[in-house]
Amino acid sequence: AQSVTQLDSHVSVSEGTPVLLRCNYSSSYSPSLFWYVQHPNKGLQLLLKYTSAATLVKGINGFEAEFKKSETSFHLTKPSAHMSDAAEYFCVVSEGGGSTLGRLYFGRGTQLTVWP
Amino acid sequence: GAGVSQSPSNKVTEKGKDVELRCDPISGHTALYWYRQSLGQGLEFLIYFQGNSAPDKSGLPSDRFSAERTGGSVSTLTIQRTQQEDSAVYLCASSLVGRDRGIVYGYTFGSGTRLTVV
């Protein structure tokens, strides 16, 4: 069975401090993993993706995520938050095989608030 | 085009009327999704098309909802006899899917159609 769990529905940080958005997943096959961001009244934008290459993935706007198979985690980090990072973030898993090949599974989202 | 195009961007309809939402995926993308996002809710999977395979319709909330994908390209989501609870943003996404393993590329989402049923 496939599932995605975003451990925090809301995260608040001060500008300039580190950001950590947590995601755990389960998958029957070698998955592809993604983080998407959605700003208010905007569409979903791909931040970064993991597809079985380097386990540390760099994305846009200074975000990174590390795939840890042993922990089935794909946490999103950024060393220093910016006001413009305030948005909703979705962790997404895509199944790597079987009858559900390619299907996307979304976490419920984490709302990131950045305080000045 | 360069991205996934959805039309209309906004639709207001009266309860009980039928609506059609259109999605033009990126040319050559074999996989296409429909999701909806209600106010304050996460993304709700509706239907998934992948190549010539039978679509995965397991997410359609009722038989009032249907979708088709003609010629492996454009997709239309139809909602019959709309209800107020159908009000949401309907999102379409497309991607390439490798045959020998799963997703290599990230899905590209359209900007969505905001449906309001009054």
Side-chain angles (χ1 to χ4, degrees):
Chain A
Q2 302 81 17
S3 69
V4 183
T5 303
Q6 290 184 242
L7 296 160
D8 307 292
S9 58
H10 290 86
V11 170
S12 294
V13 301
S14 297
E15 191 175 22
T17 64
V19 175
L20 170 64
L21 305 183
R22 298 182 293 167
C23 174
N24 285 95
Y25 71 93
S26 66
S27 174
S28 302
Y29 299 88
S30 298
S32 296
L33 297 155
F34 309 85
W35 276 96
Y36 281 86
V37 60
Q38 187 175 32
H39 288 90
N41 300 314
K42 300 286 188 182
L44 284 156
Q45 180 184 20
L46 180 66
L47 269 182
L48 49 79
K49 61 181 183 283
Y50 164 77
T51 55
S52 79
T55 56
L56 181 62
V57 181
K58 294 184 183 299
I60 61 173
N61 301 334
F63 283 93
E64 295 182 347
E66 186 171 7
F67 174 68
K68 292 186 177 180
K69 187 175 181 178
S70 61
E71 299 177 7
T72 59
S73 69
F74 191 57
H75 301 333
L76 182 70
T77 61
K78 182 172 180 177
S80 176
H82 191 273
M83 296 294 290
S84 61
D85 294 329
E88 187 151 24
Y89 292 78
F90 293 93
C91 181
V92 183
V93 173
S94 177
E95 201 59 285
S99 61
T100 54
L101 169 67
R103 179 166 166 175
L104 295 177
Y105 297 87
F106 276 78
R108 294 189 64 81
T110 298
Q111 183 66 47
L112 176 65
T113 300
V114 181
W115 301 104
Chain B
V4 176
S5 177
Q6 290 188 246
S7 60
S9 55
N10 281 282
K11 176 72 176 179
V12 180
T13 189
E14 291 180 353
K15 179 181 174 181
K17 295 282 181 69
D18 297 351
V19 294
E20 281 190 354
L21 312 181
R22 178 186 169 102
C23 173
D24 282 276
I26 292 174
S27 178
H29 278 193
T30 56
L32 186 148
Y33 276 95
W34 282 98
Y35 280 85
R36 72 176 176 182
Q37 189 173 30
S38 304
L39 187 64
Q41 302 294 316
L43 280 141
E44 178 186 3
F45 165 74
L46 296 177
I47 189 168
Y48 170 49
F49 296 90
Q50 164 52 6
N52 295 321
S53 303
D56 178 353
K57 302 180 181 180
S58 60
L60 294 177
S62 77
D63 59 7
R64 295 186 295 105
F65 287 73
S66 63
E68 62 178 22
R69 189 178 184 192
T70 54
S73 180
V74 172
S75 178
T76 303
L77 176 70
T78 301
I79 309 173
Q80 296 177 309
R81 305 180 302 282
T82 52
Q83 303 295 314
Q84 287 186 328
E85 62 262 28
D86 300 334
S87 296
V89 176
Y90 288 81
L91 293 167
C92 176
S94 73
S95 180
L96 285 171
V97 177
R99 290 182 197 168
D100 55 351
R101 76 167 313 279
I103 299 294
V104 176
Y105 306 101
Y107 277 79
T108 301
F109 281 81
S111 298
T113 294
R114 183 176 297 277
L115 175 66
T116 304
V117 181
V118 298

